[in-house]
Amino acid sequence: MEKQEKGKKSRSRKNKVEKQQLNPNPQTEVLVESKESKTTDVTDVEKLFFAEVEKVPSVELMPDYDFCSYNSSLIKVIYEDRKVIVNACSDNYLLLPNKDLFPKIEDELKKVYKNVSIRREVKNNSQFYVDYSFTDNKKGIENDILAPCISIQNSYNGKLNYGVSCGLFNLTDESRLSIEQDTFDFDFSLSHCENNLEKIIANTLEGISQFLKSDEIIDSFNPLLEAELQENEVQTIVERVLDNTKVLLSLKEEIVERIKQKNTSKVFNLWTIYSGINYFLQPNHNEWLSASSDARRRMDKKVLEFIFSEVQ
């Protein structure tokens, strides 16, 4: 029975790959993940992302208990229909409400850049991710159209520092791509400590400005484009990448099929390998993927680093 179920799931994955539409001009999608459900409704995204949040004394909510210094405060997210406790922390923990942070960043971006696509993600009411894609700077590579992308994360549960990382957004596949760290060293994180808010906003905007001035971001993939492959080598390379990185091991067949389906010109290289694997590291293309955005980025970087090592 177990084998039948596995076979059924594998066929379901395969059918899903076959039905994917290759859309060269997709609309930016807003994705929300929560413990209970997934939605792409923009209104729901905004409600989850910008919900009221408060830091309150623990004793206020639990007067019959004593608390230590590290759990003397609680972080409470307030929705229209419920309240959720997402963190126990010290009094010194600086809560960075999304509504006090992201609108300021986005208002400044709108003053300078005409076309910025925004993609938000929420996990467990307390971890927040935003991808900003700067589509005025887009450029074509093979069958893909890429735009510089800045990813920002924030949390209320103490699991994530506020962080900013650079990458690219594949407008064709609707997927976020890593870049080699040496290409542009801007990634940073700041802890939730007092007096960090203005520093966070200033550092973020300055980093974005410098990143978008760089002409080398997309060109950094040229070594992968130049590493040409024969069609009969695609499966071997995909298997070697996945086996060595321990990423998406159960999807080898689907990845190979996707790569061959997309590259109708039968031109294959290490870029097509990376793009094909990256496609399945997006929850909008892989319904079995439950990893958070930061975990997916770590997997993607591991894949990219290994593929670049294949060029050597």
Side-chain angles (χ1 to χ4, degrees), residues 165-184:
S165 61
C166 303
L168 294 168
F169 195 80
N170 189 331
L171 299 172
T172 306
D173 282 352
E174 298 181 73
S175 60
R176 201 261 190 200
L177 303 156
S178 298
I179 57 174
E180 277 200 299
Q181 191 63 40
D182 293 341
T183 305
F184 192 87

Side-chain angles (χ1 to χ4, degrees), residues 220-265:
S220 67
F221 286 101
N222 285 342
L224 302 189
L225 292 166
E226 294 165 2
E228 297 183 358
L229 304 170
Q230 299 298 316
E231 184 173 359
N232 60 8
E233 296 178 284
V234 170
Q235 182 168 344
T236 301
I237 298 294
V238 168
E239 290 178 352
R240 183 155 71 239
V241 174
L242 301 188
D243 287 342
N244 280 273
T245 60
K246 308 303 180 188
V247 171
L248 302 176
L249 288 169
S250 64
L251 290 176
K252 294 177 182 178
E253 181 182 339
E254 288 83 353
I255 291 169
V256 171
E257 185 173 348
R258 166 72 186 179
I259 291 171
K260 292 182 178 180
Q261 175 200 25
K262 182 177 178 181
N263 293 278
T264 54
S265 62

Side-chain angles (χ1 to χ4, degrees), residues 114-232:
K114 291 182 179 179
N115 295 301
V116 182
S117 296
I118 302 174
R119 182 182 178 91
R120 306 191 197 277
E121 183 176 334
V122 181
K123 192 171 183 67
N124 293 333
N125 305 292
S126 56
Q127 292 173 224
F128 309 94
Y129 309 89
V130 188
D131 289 333
Y132 298 102
S133 303
F134 298 84
T135 54
D136 285 336
N137 303 65
K138 63 187 178 184
K139 182 178 179 179
I141 286 188
E142 297 283 344
N143 297 315
D144 298 305
I145 300 173
L146 309 182
C149 177
I150 292 289
S151 299
I152 301 180
Q153 65 183 34
N154 188 34
S155 77
Y156 300 156
N157 62 4
K159 291 188 175 182
L160 299 174
N161 286 341
Y162 173 89
V164 182
S165 61
C166 303
L168 294 168
F169 195 80
N170 189 331
L171 299 172
T172 306
D173 282 352
E174 298 181 73
S175 60
R176 201 261 190 200
L177 303 156
S178 298
I179 57 174
E180 277 200 299
Q181 191 63 40
D182 293 341
T183 305
F184 192 87
D185 190 12
F186 165 52
D187 293 14
F188 75 89
S189 65
L190 293 170
S191 62
H192 288 235
C193 298
E194 295 295 344
N195 302 318
N196 255 355
L197 182 59
E198 294 306 318
K199 182 179 180 182
I200 281 174
I201 294 174
N203 283 10
T204 299
L205 293 171
E206 175 61 21
I208 292 173
S209 175
Q210 294 302 316
F211 174 61
L212 293 178
K213 290 177 182 177
S214 174
D215 296 325
E216 302 176 1
I217 304 303
I218 296 178
D219 291 343
S220 67
F221 286 101
N222 285 342
L224 302 189
L225 292 166
E226 294 165 2
E228 297 183 358
L229 304 170
Q230 299 298 316
E231 184 173 359
N232 60 8

Side-chain angles (χ1 to χ4, degrees), residues 69-83:
S69 59
Y70 58 80
N71 64 6
S72 56
S73 293
L74 297 173
I75 305 299
K76 177 177 63 174
V77 178
I78 305 168
Y79 298 113
E80 294 177 356
D81 58 344
R82 69 192 192 283
K83 301 174 183 178

